[in-house]
Amino acid sequence: MIQIAIMGLGTVGTGVAKVIAENSRQIERKLGEPLQVKRVLVRRFKDGPYRQLMTDDFTKIEEDDDIRVVVETIGGVDAAYEYTKRALMAGKHVVTANKQLVAEKGCELLALARRKNVSYLFEASVGGGIPVLHPLTQCMAANRIDEVYGILNGTTNYILTRMVRTGASFADALAEAQEKGYAEADPTADVEGIDAGRKTCILADLAFGHQVDPDNVPMEGISKLYLEDVKIAERGGYRIKLLGRAVRLPNGRSAYVAPHLIQEDHPMANVEDVFNAVMVKGNATGDVMFYGRGAGEMPTASACVSDVMEVLQSSARRDEINWSEDGEGFVDPAELKNRYYFRIPGSLTIAAADFGEVEVLSEGSETAFLTEPITGREAQAHAERLRAIACLRVLG
Ligand SMILES: NC(=O)c1ccc[n+]([C@@H]2O[C@H](COP(=O)([O-])OP(=O)(O)OC[C@H]3O[C@@H](n4cnc5c(N)ncnc54)[C@H](OP(=O)(O)O)[C@@H]3O)[C@@H](O)[C@H]2O)c1
């Protein structure tokens, strides 16, 4: 019998207990022994199927030598960071879905895990149930990863899908997402791109091998997106999607989150509702895309339990899950070149005076057009000069 503990019995923590119970036969067949949840750390005791396992005393987990793996599904940094460090110090493997903790403290926690000869795994922290970190670090290990980008937040993708399909404004689509339980009461982390930004940092850390500090990564969400631009883009053969993007550059690496126009025949443009997708560009593989449910109780729990099984089956030295603390070489994404979409007050003549030839998407009292590739810095200067109503990147 292999015993584990779960810290935090919310959506994902409950899912972890359910997956272990529902799939006990398959799990036992693969591990050669039954897997059992021995303890569940909670703040408040609640009635339910796990009442007997609950404790609010972390030392009951820390000091129990029978508990070999701890699943952290508390979220945030404070308590989760403290307990994760103590569990690793006590020689236990830790598995988590907590992207904030991994993005901010992952490097330190991985180093501690290595010193204690245990594992710290976090497949569920990016893309929920979609296996992406494991393929990125193992199956694509023979590649130089040049770029990773993706739709990394299901809530914002649902909102954007509703704006396109029903013509709802951002505010109405957000209210609908909240009604359906896809968006939190406080949706800031989702709609302002912070959640996608943390996941982008983890992807960049693993793809490029150096710490990308979330504080350096510009995170622009969709709260300032106008329905008008969604409609103009749609008529012109583009969809607007919130992308997290990490790029290898000759002089370092860069990362950011922002809404992008994507041509409608691009596979990313057709990722709809709460689905997520991640595109990885390897120098040998070319483009590889991962697609699936990026959140939710059971998909996220599936990734956590698979990590639990992995730490129990393989050696603790997972050297490919690693990156250096050295954050040198982070290039301001304003230096990156992209085509840009502008909507400006006034006629095409005004746009032409600034840009020369442009691809016009809509003309009238306002003009919407696409530019040739320019840097983010140049785009910003044009946007200010032309008093642009909208200025968005175009993918590709
Ligand atoms: N939900 C998803 O679909 C999803 C997907 C991917 C990743 N994640 C990540 O997974 C983590 C958990 O998310 P979630 O959606 O499961 O959150 P959640 O439903 O809010 O669950 C968190 C649980 O942790 C408990 N908790 C908080 N502080 C604690 C402490 N000091 N000691 C013990 N328990 C404590 C909370 O207890 P109370 O009930 O008392 O507040 C709550 O039950 C987060 O990092 C999240 O970003 C979630």
Side-chain angles (χ1 to χ4, degrees):
M1 172 84 69
I2 301 170
Q3 295 184 317
I4 70 163
I6 299 171
M7 303 195 291
L9 197 65
T11 305
V12 182
T14 305
V16 168
K18 279 191 197 164
V19 168
I20 291 173
E22 283 176 22
N23 297 345
S24 60
R25 295 259 286 283
Q26 294 92 304
I27 294 172
E28 181 176 345
R29 203 174 58 239
K30 286 171 189 155
L31 291 178
E33 288 178 73
L35 184 66
Q36 189 193 44
V37 180
K38 186 171 183 191
R39 290 260 181 224
V40 174
L41 184 73
V42 294
R43 276 197 295 208
R44 284 183 289 271
F45 289 87
K46 296 166 223 167
D47 285 336
Y50 311 107
R51 181 68 184 82
Q52 298 295 321
L53 310 177
M54 286 181 189
T55 177
D56 59 0
D57 177 2
F58 175 69
T59 59
K60 293 258 165 40
I61 294 171
E62 189 179 30
E63 292 170 3
D64 187 336
D65 290 337
D66 292 337
I67 294 175
R68 290 169 61 190
V69 187
V70 176
V71 182
E72 183 270 300
T73 49
I74 291 174
V77 169
D78 305 331
Y81 178 45
E82 168 74 18
Y83 294 152
T84 299
K85 277 196 295 191
R86 285 170 58 182
L88 293 170
M89 286 296 291
K92 299 178 193 308
H93 304 288
V94 178
V95 162
T96 190
N98 186 341
K99 51 234 157 185
Q100 185 179 0
L101 186 60
V102 179
E104 291 182 20
K105 306 283 185 191
C107 198
E108 175 194 332
L109 294 169
L110 282 164
L112 174 58
R114 269 196 306 284
R115 281 205 301 283
K116 302 305 290 184
N117 208 27
V118 289
S119 293
Y120 181 53
L121 293 188
F122 38 85
E123 180 63 63
S125 67
V126 180
I130 311 171
V132 58
L133 302 186
H134 198 275
L136 174 69
T137 51
Q138 281 210 307
C139 315
M140 295 181 73
N143 286 258
R144 183 192 67 228
I145 306 296
D146 291 323
E147 184 172 341
V148 187
Y149 64 87
I151 295 170
L152 300 169
N153 181 272
T155 306
T156 44
N157 205 41
Y158 179 82
I159 292 171
L160 290 170
T161 305
R162 297 309 287 167
M163 288 172 81
V164 171
R165 280 205 204 138
T166 67
S169 66
F170 167 78
D172 289 345
L174 170 61
E176 193 188 321
Q178 283 170 321
E179 240 167 68
K180 291 207 150 130
Y182 294 150
E184 311 256 339
D186 176 2
T188 313
D190 290 327
V191 301
E192 300 304 345
I194 300 163
D195 175 77
R198 291 173 179 145
K199 295 168 183 168
T200 305
C201 289
I202 298 170
L203 288 167
D205 293 334
L206 288 171
F208 309 140
H210 293 269
Q211 169 77 21
V212 171
D213 188 342
D215 289 342
N216 291 335
V217 174
M219 299 172 191
E220 183 189 332
I222 60 166
S223 62
K224 296 186 185 74
L225 195 65
Y226 294 102
L227 181 59
E228 184 63 15
D229 297 303
V230 172
K231 285 183 179 165
I232 293 171
E234 175 86 354
R235 286 198 298 271
Y238 292 84
R239 299 279 155 73
I240 298 182
K241 297 287 182 188
L242 184 67
L243 295 184
R245 191 166 167 236
V247 194
R248 182 189 292 279
L249 298 166
N251 54 341
R253 67 212 86 86
S254 191
Y256 66 91
V257 178
H260 287 67
L261 273 74
I262 306 179
Q263 258 170 342
E264 64 190 6
D265 56 359
H266 190 291
M268 240 345 126
N270 298 301
V271 174
E272 301 215 307
D273 292 317
V274 291
F275 281 84
N276 285 17
V278 181
M279 186 77 83
V280 182
K281 286 178 183 282
N283 69 332
T285 57
D287 287 0
V288 180
M289 185 161 135
F290 302 89
Y291 168 85
R293 291 189 180 275
E297 182 189 51
M298 296 304 264
T300 311
S302 146
C304 290
V305 179
S306 300
D307 271 354
V308 169
M309 294 171 71
E310 165 142 15
V311 297
L312 292 168
Q313 284 173 309
S314 60
S315 118
R317 285 200 65 85
R318 290 286 311 275
D319 287 339
E320 73 281 7
I321 306 275
N322 187 19
W323 58 86
S324 98
E325 207 163 352
D326 154 33
E328 286 290 294
F330 186 82
V331 176
D332 185 341
E335 304 302 330
L336 296 180
K337 279 195 167 182
N338 276 93
R339 294 184 77 200
Y340 271 80
Y341 163 92
F342 281 86
R343 177 158 61 96
I344 59 165
S347 72
L348 187 58
T349 328
I350 298 170
D354 242 46
F355 291 101
E357 198 105 322
V358 292
E359 182 184 335
V360 180
L361 294 190
S362 141
E363 260 189 288
S365 57
E366 295 171 354
T367 307
F369 58 90
L370 304 180
T371 70
E372 289 302 303
I374 52 175
T375 66
R377 212 175 291 292
E378 288 164 338
Q380 180 66 31
H382 284 294
E384 279 166 23
R385 196 164 47 247
L386 297 170
R387 297 213 183 88
I389 304 157
C391 169
L392 300 166
R393 292 169 176 84
V394 182
L395 181 71

